[in-house]
Amino acid sequence: LFLSTFTLAVSAGAVLLLPFSIISNEILLSFPQNYYIQWLNGSLIHGLWNLASLFSNLCLFVLMPFAFFFLESEGFAGLKKGIRARILETLVMLILLALLILGIVWVASALIDNDAASMESLYDLWEFYLPYLYSCISLMGCLLLLLCTPVGLSRMFTVMGQLLVKPTILEDLDEQMYIITLEEEAIQRRLNGISSTVEYQTAELERELEKVKSKKTNLERRKKASAWERNLVYPAVMILLLIETSISVLLVALNILYLLVDETAMPKGSGGPGIGNASLSTFGFVGAALEIILIFYLMVSSVVGFYSLRFFENFTPRKDDTTMTKIIGNCVSILVLSSALPVMSRTLGITRFDLLGDFGRFNWLGNFYIVLSYNLLFATLTTLCLVRKFTSAVREELLKALGLDKLHLSNNPRDSEAKPSANGHQKTL
């Protein structure tokens, strides 16, 4: 648990370090001779980036594998059972895992770049091997972000819609409350009349009763909400999300144009002006603030999209119902996403802040075709997800407003499922 907490702290540091660097650069530009900010300099930022990269490697390759193998270990046969035996087995498993990864990287290096220089570079474990391995992990994280972020950007509208109170347009909340109350009473009477020996029907009715109570709670919340909360907060938040998403797609589109006409737009095109020498944004402090907002928005969207994917849907942690193995997996996933976020932000042109530190050498960032394809895929996937989201949302709202939602005219498979009637036959439209 302590190792997982430390890993989450490193993830938070990796996410917050990029906005901190952008703010530090603008502060140094605004107050270059101020005595009270002399501690804020380039060496401090470089040192923090080195520490963030070092601890990310430590958590990813040592601490989290140790935590997982320690949970699964029981001690070697013939040894006295206890903590020492489990630690010994865990260390042996870590050594075997390190040898396995070393062999895989050697084979990959021999297949991709088979020359003497690349093979000799792997002998230098600290200067070449760890940055190379971390570069591979960052590439995997960026590919994962490429899948999660577009889905999360479209999913954010649904999440905020569940947290906020929607405006009542052509809806009668009193009538809906009356209907849902009658439905709850009917299910409760059926539940009271069923014998306790029929476990299947009882469990089914209890699940249905919980759904009805949840709908009733939402309706009561909507009914108690003030007119300002219904008619002002919800549209304002939706418009804000739409503006942030549109700006993100626009910046990516502009970055694609820059990549086609200017070589310095590449993530490794220039070493950067350095901290405190020039503004990283064209619009100065306002542009830097916008970049920070977009970076946080992309991180939240990527996490939402990660847990919205079908492959990771059962991976979502739940209160009082999450195993330690699942907690370790979640910590590793968030660490990979947070470590790849600065790389994705620079690759998409959200910010021009170049990665600093000894672990900031990512070989694949110098490939023009990889960077251009990444930008094109991100813009295309985000646009498709948003178009699909809004067209389906508008269709559902129109059907609901016209009172046709009960006819199940939507293409949602959950809505079109046939429901069994009381006599066992299927009722379908």
Side-chain angles (χ1 to χ4, degrees), residues 143-153 301-302 304-306 309 337:
L143 294 178
L144 185 60
L145 283 175
L146 184 62
L147 294 176
C148 299
T149 309
V151 177
L153 290 175
S301 301
S302 64
V304 172
F306 175 78
L309 296 176
L337 292 177

Side-chain angles (χ1 to χ4, degrees), residues 135-427:
S135 176
C136 298
I137 298 298
S138 70
L139 178 60
M140 294 173 57
C142 288
L143 294 178
L144 185 60
L145 283 175
L146 184 62
L147 294 176
C148 299
T149 309
V151 177
L153 290 175
S154 61
R155 178 70 177 165
M156 283 291 290
F157 294 91
T158 304
V159 172
M160 296 306 297
Q162 294 174 353
L163 296 177
L164 300 175
V165 179
K166 297 181 180 180
T168 56
I169 302 175
L170 299 178
E171 287 185 277
D172 190 353
L173 294 180
D174 294 329
E175 182 181 356
Q176 294 184 19
M177 281 291 299
Y178 180 71
I179 294 174
I180 206 74
T181 303
L182 291 179
E183 188 174 355
E184 181 184 6
E185 293 175 355
I187 296 175
Q188 190 66 49
R189 283 196 298 268
R190 290 177 60 190
L191 192 61
N192 295 333
I194 291 179
S195 175
S196 59
T197 57
V198 188
E199 297 181 358
Y200 174 75
Q201 294 184 5
T202 303
E204 193 74 25
L205 286 176
E206 286 179 352
R207 285 195 294 267
E208 193 172 348
L209 183 61
E210 288 295 327
K211 293 180 181 179
V212 171
K213 286 183 178 180
S214 177
K215 292 180 181 179
K216 185 178 180 181
T217 304
N218 293 332
L219 285 176
E220 289 176 351
R221 181 171 173 242
R222 292 183 63 185
K223 191 174 181 181
K224 293 178 181 179
S226 62
W228 289 96
E229 186 179 358
R230 286 198 307 265
N231 302 322
L232 183 62
V233 176
Y234 181 83
V237 171
M238 291 297 143
I239 292 174
L240 183 62
L241 291 179
L242 183 60
I243 291 175
E244 290 180 350
T245 308
S246 303
I247 292 176
S248 302
V249 176
L250 181 61
L251 289 177
V252 174
L254 291 176
N255 188 54
I256 293 173
L257 295 178
Y258 289 150
L259 288 172
L260 295 175
V261 300
D262 190 2
E263 294 181 356
T264 59
M266 289 288 295
K268 296 187 69 173
S270 62
I275 298 295
N277 295 328
S279 179
L280 299 175
S281 176
T282 308
F283 301 100
F285 193 83
V286 177
L290 180 61
E291 289 179 2
I292 293 172
I293 293 173
L294 291 178
I295 289 170
F296 281 118
Y297 180 58
L298 289 178
M299 183 60 197
V300 174
S301 301
S302 64
V303 174
V304 172
F306 175 78
Y307 290 114
S308 299
L309 296 176
R310 290 186 178 180
F311 186 76
F312 302 104
E313 189 175 0
N314 296 327
F315 214 53
T316 307
R318 292 176 176 83
K319 184 179 179 181
D320 299 329
D321 190 23
T322 306
T323 61
M324 198 65 219
T325 306
K326 188 179 290 186
I327 290 176
I328 293 174
N330 279 275
C331 292
V332 172
S333 303
I334 293 177
L335 179 62
V336 172
L337 292 177
S338 61
S339 300
L341 179 67
V343 186
M344 186 191 74
S345 302
R346 180 66 182 93
T347 306
L348 296 178
I350 303 297
T351 179
R352 293 194 296 117
F353 185 82
D354 286 324
L355 295 175
L356 299 174
D358 295 333
F359 292 88
R361 301 188 297 267
F362 301 101
N363 298 326
W364 58 273
L365 289 178
N367 193 315
F368 172 77
Y369 297 102
I370 292 179
V371 175
L372 182 62
S373 301
Y374 192 89
N375 282 264
L376 288 173
L377 284 174
F378 183 87
T380 305
L381 291 176
T382 304
T383 304
L384 289 177
C385 289
L386 288 177
V387 169
R388 181 179 178 275
K389 173 68 180 177
F390 280 106
T391 53
S392 62
V394 170
R395 182 177 64 251
E396 295 294 335
E397 290 297 330
L398 285 177
L399 292 176
K400 191 174 182 180
L402 296 175
L404 301 177
D405 56 324
K406 298 180 181 179
L407 297 179
H408 304 292
L409 299 177
S410 64
N411 295 324
N412 191 350
R414 296 179 181 178
D415 296 339
S416 60
E417 291 179 354
K419 297 182 178 180
S421 62
N423 57 3
H425 297 287
Q426 299 288 334
K427 290 183 177 180

